[in-house]
Structures are given as structure tokens and as C-alpha cells.
Amino acid sequence: MERQLVRGFIDGSLSTLGVVIGASGAEISIIIAAGIGGGVANGLSNIFGAFTAERIEEEMQIVKIEKAMLKNLKETEIYKRVRRRVLTRSLVDGASTIFGSIIVVLPFFFAIMLNASPFLATLVSIVLTTISLGLIGLYLGKLSKENLALSFAKMAAFGIVTAFISMLVEKGVHFALS
């Protein structure tokens, strides 16, 4: 389940960061709507995608076991546990995707309350996302017994690279359309 939690969080935060940066020239309410809408859609997509992929993978394993045992397992407790595991993994993947996207959008809510600019909220969003990813890196580094500083730096770099590329795309689109 840790795999789905980490993958979903990374996906939600990085994809929403791209959406937020892409919309950064708009009003804060539009940025929030785009970020939340994109995050929820991404989360739902991950639930359905993970469910389908996990189900197929588990079904293939069940078929192998059935062939070896010469028995249908569809009505067994084993099969029911597999189905629950698939559903749980899918929901965790999607929920962590949505949670990752909320982290990215959070600074824009504070920007409204504090009357701050969308630019400042975007910078805070980039920093918050980068730190969040770095913390995921620390967690992964601890699990895998890697150098924690290096694990933090690698994951934080994903946030910085995503932000940089998203900014280039946003500026390129504005340049091309003006």
C-alpha cells in the first residue's frame, strides 16, 4: 500500500503543480478551480486506472493458481481478499493523488485570505510542493536505507524540474499566442 500512497502523492502534486503554474496568469479563483479540478480528475483517473491494472494483475495470478490447483477460486475467501486488496490499493492511490494536489493549491487559499498576489502564491506553492516531495524522499530513503539527504534532494529535484518545465511551457504558450 505504501507504493500506491507514494505514487499517488507524487502524481497528484507534480501534475497539479503543472496545472497551477499553467494557470498562474489568471485570477486566484481560477487557479484554485483549475488545481482542484485537475487534482480530483487525476485522483479519479488513478482510482480507475489502478483498479483496472491491479485487478488484471491479480486475476492473472489467480488464473495461474487455478490452473495449478485445477480448481475455480472465484467463490473462495482467497478471491474475496484479493478483490478487497485491489479496491483498497486503488482508493489509496486516488486519495493520495487528491491529497498531493491539495498541498499544491493550499497557498492560493491563504493568498485570498491575506490578499497576496497570485505570483507569491505560485512561488509558495512551488516551495511547499518541493518540500513535500523532499519529505517523501526522506521517507523512501529511510525505508530503503539510502542516504537521507540524497533521497530528499532527488525527490525535491522532481518538484523543481517540474516547476521549471511548467514555467517554460506557460511562457512558451503565452509567447506563441501573443
Side-chain angles (χ1 to χ4, degrees):
M1 204 117 61
E2 289 168 333
R3 179 183 70 198
Q4 290 80 15
L5 188 70
V6 168
R7 196 203 71 73
F9 183 86
I10 292 168
D11 185 27
S13 59
L14 291 179
S15 61
T16 304
L17 185 62
V19 169
V20 161
I21 291 171
S24 63
E27 294 176 24
I28 289 180
S29 62
I30 292 171
I31 297 169
I32 290 171
I36 291 174
V40 169
N42 193 10
L44 293 173
S45 173
N46 282 351
I47 289 171
F48 299 135
F51 180 80
T52 303
E54 293 275 343
R55 186 182 58 78
I56 289 170
E57 190 174 309
E58 294 286 356
E59 291 282 342
M60 288 173 25
Q61 292 300 319
I62 292 284
V63 167
K64 284 181 185 178
I65 294 169
E66 287 175 334
K67 283 184 181 180
M69 294 177 65
L70 301 172
K71 181 178 179 180
N72 185 327
L73 297 175
K74 297 270 192 259
E75 301 299 322
T76 66
E77 186 58 35
I78 293 170
Y79 187 77
K80 290 175 186 171
R81 273 188 276 160
V82 166
R83 296 292 285 187
R84 280 193 299 271
R85 184 171 58 231
V86 166
L87 182 60
T88 301
R89 286 177 178 172
S90 304
L91 292 173
V92 166
D93 194 314
S96 61
T97 300
I98 293 169
F99 179 71
S101 69
I102 290 170
I103 298 290
V104 178
V105 177
L106 208 51
F108 294 93
F109 286 105
F110 286 109
I112 288 174
M113 292 188 297
L114 301 172
N115 200 27
S117 71
F119 177 75
L120 178 61
T122 302
L123 289 179
V124 172
S125 180
I126 292 168
V127 169
L128 187 59
T129 302
T130 301
I131 290 170
S132 297
L133 290 168
L135 293 174
I136 293 288
L138 283 177
Y139 174 70
L140 294 174
K142 185 174 180 177
L143 286 178
S144 63
K145 310 249 188 283
E146 289 182 7
N147 179 306
L148 295 182
L150 185 59
S151 294
F152 181 95
K154 283 193 294 189
M155 288 301 292
F158 290 140
I160 293 167
V161 168
T162 299
F164 180 72
I165 291 171
S166 297
M167 284 187 243
L168 288 177
V169 168
E170 190 264 342
K171 297 296 180 205
V173 167
H174 280 283
F175 178 76
L177 296 177
S178 53

